[in-house]
Amino acid sequence: MDVENYEKVCTAARNFFIGKGLRQTSQRNAIIAAAFSTQEYFSAEGLLHMAQAIDPSVSRATVYRNLPLLLESGLLRELDLGDGIQYYDPKFVEHPTHHHMICVDCEKIIEFEDTNIELLENCISRRLGFSPANKMLRIKGHCDELRLHGNCLRRREQET
Amino acid sequence: MDVENYEKVCTAARNFFIGKGLRQTSQRNAIIAAAFSTQEYFSAEGLLHMAQAIDPSVSRATVYRNLPLLLESGLLRELDLGDGIQYYDPKFVEHPTHHHMICVDCEKIIEFEDTNIELLENCISRRLGFSPANKMLRIKGHCDELRLHGNCLRRREQET
DNA sequence: ATCTATGCAAATAATTTGCACAATG
DNA sequence: CATTGTGCAAATTATTTGCATAGAT
């Protein structure tokens, strides 16, 4: 995320809190700043560490109390990678329709957007009598890199 | 699931265990019988209760130890409804490509299959250099029933 | 000054694990 | 009868909550 966008998202988050009549605290601002400072998804624990790097007074409880609010704002989304840990993805503001492709062998994650999938999802939703609000598609499979060459970039990183 | 199919799936599960060189125990058979006795998804705790109804000696630990094996067999799949609880869906044998549509208001869940989605998922996977193995699509939205009439079947059930 | 938000630590919930014994192949 | 699978209870991990106090409006 470029700096301009980063500022925009942080401001949007702060405005969301203000709009709900909630207070601005240094801890909340640190959590917001931390959450959108990265392009990577993170766990609650990861967000705690990033937020503490900005404001050491941020506690685990505060992170857990503010995460549901950020989800409600729509600026952050839950991400299930299938390993039992709850992750959060800050990239939905810029890429609201992106999905995830995961290699079961090397655990590489590729993000993709596709207009056809998007249209089809909306079409199916309407056919079933729904107004879609939140769509999540996760495909797990085997990447060619590992399957064809017996090795791949991610795999080598892991073995290091 | 009709009786014929139920027997088929249970046999497939037992054969999977045998094929892995694992032993047949009354607890495992109870867990298999319980898991595929229903059309509904269930939690680990729910499976425990169903299995105990068949064989009271089944313990929670055994359920947790056998669940990963059933997932590995492909006869059972994880299902994330977004409420933080891990569910398991036994219907993937009969409907391997089904997906879930969830109403955020009344929590109604509709299952659907769609050939176009299926094709598109495969197409995208190949384009990204993957052989797809496991696809999960979950759409959350608002059902017309509740949106238009201010009430719906599920909603009334909940309020009872 | 009022009242929300926080830190801390205890509580809860879901899952995993060590160990002695039971039961399969 | 050798070895795997199990029950039990304790351990671990992730998350939530009660309470006294700090701090925003």
Side-chain angles (χ1 to χ4, degrees):
Chain A
M1 195 177 322
D2 54 54
V3 177
E4 194 188 335
N5 231 321
Y6 168 68
E7 294 298 345
K8 204 184 293 180
V9 177
C10 288
T11 303
R14 281 192 291 267
N15 285 338
F16 171 81
F17 280 97
I18 293 169
K20 286 198 63 125
L22 301 173
R23 293 179 179 173
Q24 295 207 266
T25 65
S26 66
Q27 290 90 344
R28 270 192 185 139
N29 286 331
I31 290 169
I32 291 170
F36 302 108
S37 69
T38 176
Q39 283 286 78
E40 294 294 313
Y41 48 83
F42 45 78
S43 61
E45 193 68 18
L47 179 55
L48 172 65
H49 293 314
M50 295 190 294
Q52 283 180 333
I54 299 171
D55 178 345
S57 80
V58 174
S59 75
R60 183 170 284 106
T62 298
V63 167
Y64 276 107
R65 280 190 270 239
N66 281 284
L67 269 171
L69 293 167
L70 286 174
L71 294 179
E72 192 188 328
S73 79
L75 299 169
L76 198 66
R77 293 252 195 122
E78 292 180 306
L79 175 58
D80 172 27
L81 299 179
D83 66 356
I85 297 174
Q86 184 65 259
Y87 293 100
Y88 300 89
D89 188 329
K91 277 184 303 305
F92 276 92
V93 190
E94 290 175 274
H95 303 285
T97 67
H98 82 266
H99 296 301
H100 298 86
M101 176 100 229
I102 305 173
C103 180
V104 293
D105 300 314
C106 67
E107 292 173 4
K108 174 168 43 197
I109 298 172
I110 293 180
E111 294 173 0
F112 63 91
E113 288 179 284
D114 186 283
T115 318
N116 299 309
I117 280 277
E118 178 66 9
L119 290 171
L120 206 39
E121 286 168 342
N122 290 340
C123 177
I124 290 169
S125 299
R126 264 181 252 112
R127 196 198 306 149
L128 295 173
F130 277 75
S131 315
N134 179 306
K135 304 158 194 154
M136 83 100 109
L137 169 62
R138 187 193 72 196
I139 304 180
K140 290 194 174 197
H142 306 272
C143 77
D144 286 345
E145 207 184 337
L146 184 65
R147 192 164 48 86
L148 300 178
H149 310 128
N151 210 337
C152 71
L153 207 58
R154 258 307 292 238
R155 190 64 148 201
R156 278 194 294 276
E157 281 170 21
Q158 280 177 35
E159 282 163 0
T160 320
Chain B
M1 197 179 320
D2 55 52
V3 178
E4 194 189 333
N5 231 320
Y6 168 69
E7 294 300 343
K8 205 183 291 178
V9 177
C10 288
T11 303
R14 281 191 291 265
N15 286 339
F16 171 81
F17 280 98
I18 293 169
K20 286 200 65 123
L22 302 174
R23 293 177 180 174
Q24 295 208 264
T25 65
S26 65
Q27 291 89 345
R28 269 189 186 144
N29 285 332
I31 289 168
I32 292 170
F36 302 108
S37 68
T38 176
Q39 284 285 78
E40 295 295 314
Y41 48 84
F42 45 77
S43 61
E45 193 69 18
L47 180 55
L48 171 65
H49 292 314
M50 294 191 293
Q52 284 182 332
I54 299 171
D55 179 342
S57 80
V58 174
S59 75
R60 184 169 285 107
T62 298
V63 168
Y64 276 108
R65 279 190 271 239
N66 281 285
L67 269 172
L69 294 167
L70 286 175
L71 293 178
E72 191 187 329
S73 79
L75 299 169
L76 198 64
R77 293 252 195 120
E78 292 180 307
L79 174 59
D80 172 27
L81 298 180
D83 65 356
I85 298 173
Q86 183 65 261
Y87 293 99
Y88 300 89
D89 188 330
K91 277 183 301 307
F92 276 92
V93 190
E94 290 176 273
H95 303 285
T97 68
H98 83 267
H99 296 303
H100 298 86
M101 175 99 231
I102 305 172
C103 180
V104 292
D105 300 314
C106 68
E107 291 174 4
K108 173 168 46 196
I109 298 171
I110 294 180
E111 293 173 359
F112 63 91
E113 288 177 282
D114 186 284
T115 319
N116 298 308
I117 280 277
E118 178 66 10
L119 290 171
L120 205 41
E121 287 168 342
N122 290 340
C123 177
I124 290 170
S125 299
R126 263 180 254 112
R127 197 197 308 149
L128 294 173
F130 278 75
S131 315
N134 178 307
K135 303 158 196 156
M136 85 100 110
L137 170 62
R138 187 193 72 194
I139 305 180
K140 290 194 175 198
H142 305 272
C143 76
D144 287 345
E145 206 184 337
L146 184 65
R147 193 165 46 86
L148 301 178
H149 310 127
N151 210 336
C152 71
L153 208 60
R154 257 308 292 238
R155 191 64 150 201
R156 278 196 293 277
E157 282 169 20
Q158 278 179 32
E159 284 165 356
T160 320

